[in-house]
Amino acid sequence: MTEKSNSGFSESGLRRVRDVLARHVESGKIPGLVALIGRGEETHVEALGTMRHDGGEPMRRDTIFRMASTSKPVAVSAAMILLDECRLRLDDPVDPWLPELADRQVLKRIDGPLDDTVPARRPITVRDVLTSTFGLGMDMTSLGTPIMNTVFEQGLTPNLPEPMPEPDEWMRRLGALPLMHQPGERWQYHISNDLLGVLVARVTGQTYETFLRERIFDPLGMKDTGFHVPADKIDRLPPLYAPDPQTGEFHVWDEAKGGRHSEPPAFHGGGGGLTSTVDDYHAYFRMLLNHGMHGTERILSRPAVQLMTTNRLTPEQQAVRHAMAVNNVHISFGQGQHGGWGFGMAVRTYRGDYAPTGQFGWDGGSGTSTYADPENQLTGILLTQVGTSVPDPARLFHDFWTTVYQAIDD
């Protein structure tokens, strides 16, 4: 007979979660972490290790982390509100708000010169942007092609030495490029998530952050979530490390004070710009598990949540999504074999590990992993300060989710 806790987790299972997390910290590869698992009203939090790799302040429950790509599942909610309010429609062209993307040209070959193009067969729609199929993206299988080189050179993606320009200039640069694929044809990672932020800002006449704060962050009590960390909270932000892939030596990728998140950015990146805490993210994912409700307040409609959190890809598009997971193991270290994609997040369409189909969420290159599981009414949030330049954070993610699922005891 297993000992029961009153939350649907076994006591022995929760001990194993803690022991396995502690083992990663004690290895010296992960300086510190904060992990939260929740089911129903019960929440368990582990804060282990230190803020810096050489010691310093201990990790705390309210430590603030760079969410990187785990920004995507939260940032997409702004667009869902606009769909709920009929300020956007899924199959309307985006041209009225994003005129830079009207009358597109499309590359004849993905590795061809930028001027060897054909006209787009149709305009880009809101749906194309929401499903990451509008025609441009971070294509890890096409690195070194003229189009991918230009995307990097133009500062259209985050995490390069140069910060992204303000939204109008970013749009101008984006609009100067041909598309890699016809609109709606192929799933491609990331750029659409940043584009959504520009779309939301232009539809609402507010900055993307202001709209998110008024409609999502404030109603959910996400008081520590935003696109930068104010001076009075910066002590709660650890440095972000990008360890050397060869030696494992800890290199600081982004310092807290004076770093990329210490000042409001020119570009509010829905694809990877948020900073947050385990409790803020738990509030958001619980709202999704509650079909858009937070207590007695409705944040999103039930159909909006269902649309976001179920697979939107055709079998052909899923093949591309799957290839990104299984053929880029040297980059992703085996992360992301879920099958499907909804709006701004992965959705499990087959059982590839301990998590059931229907689980939704995403991982971040800064060492973050955030998922919710409707079948078990479970949320898990794991936040570290180690970037995925090395496999250690991905291994930690795997072990965290394995132990979380082992600990379920109904």
Side-chain angles (χ1 to χ4, degrees), residues 230-278:
D232 61 346
K233 297 181 180 182
I234 201 84
D235 290 340
R236 289 161 53 194
L237 181 73
L240 175 62
Y241 297 107
D244 185 297
Q246 269 64 55
T247 65
E249 184 189 348
F250 282 97
H251 294 302
V252 175
W253 170 255
D254 184 36
E255 199 44 90
K257 288 180 182 163
R260 296 160 196 238
H261 287 278
S262 62
E263 296 288 334
F267 190 97
H268 294 153
L274 290 176
T275 52
S276 193
T277 63
V278 289

Side-chain angles (χ1 to χ4, degrees), residues 130-265:
L130 276 163
T131 51
S132 301
T133 60
F134 83 99
L136 276 171
M138 301 290 298
D139 191 335
M140 301 306 173
T141 59
S142 303
L143 295 176
T145 57
I147 184 70
M148 280 307 300
N149 289 346
T150 307
V151 164
F152 289 128
E153 285 158 13
Q154 290 292 313
L156 292 170
T157 62
N159 298 339
L160 298 170
E162 282 300 301
M164 287 162 71
E166 51 83 28
D168 289 349
E169 171 60 16
W170 187 85
M171 284 303 307
R172 189 190 67 75
R173 296 181 194 181
L174 192 70
L177 298 180
L179 300 180
M180 298 157 84
H181 298 282
Q182 288 286 344
E185 187 175 75
R186 190 178 171 105
W187 182 87
Q188 291 183 286
Y189 190 56
H190 184 77
I191 292 179
S192 58
N193 302 94
D194 282 338
L195 182 59
L196 263 182
V198 182
L199 179 62
V200 168
R202 289 189 177 174
V203 171
T204 62
Q206 296 178 287
T207 71
Y208 185 37
E209 183 171 41
T210 300
F211 187 74
L212 276 168
R213 186 163 308 291
E214 288 180 4
R215 303 302 301 272
I216 300 289
F217 302 160
D218 285 352
L220 289 173
M222 297 171 70
K223 58 185 188 300
D224 292 322
T225 303
F227 288 104
H228 83 289
V229 180
D232 61 346
K233 297 181 180 182
I234 201 84
D235 290 340
R236 289 161 53 194
L237 181 73
L240 175 62
Y241 297 107
D244 185 297
Q246 269 64 55
T247 65
E249 184 189 348
F250 282 97
H251 294 302
V252 175
W253 170 255
D254 184 36
E255 199 44 90
K257 288 180 182 163
R260 296 160 196 238
H261 287 278
S262 62
E263 296 288 334

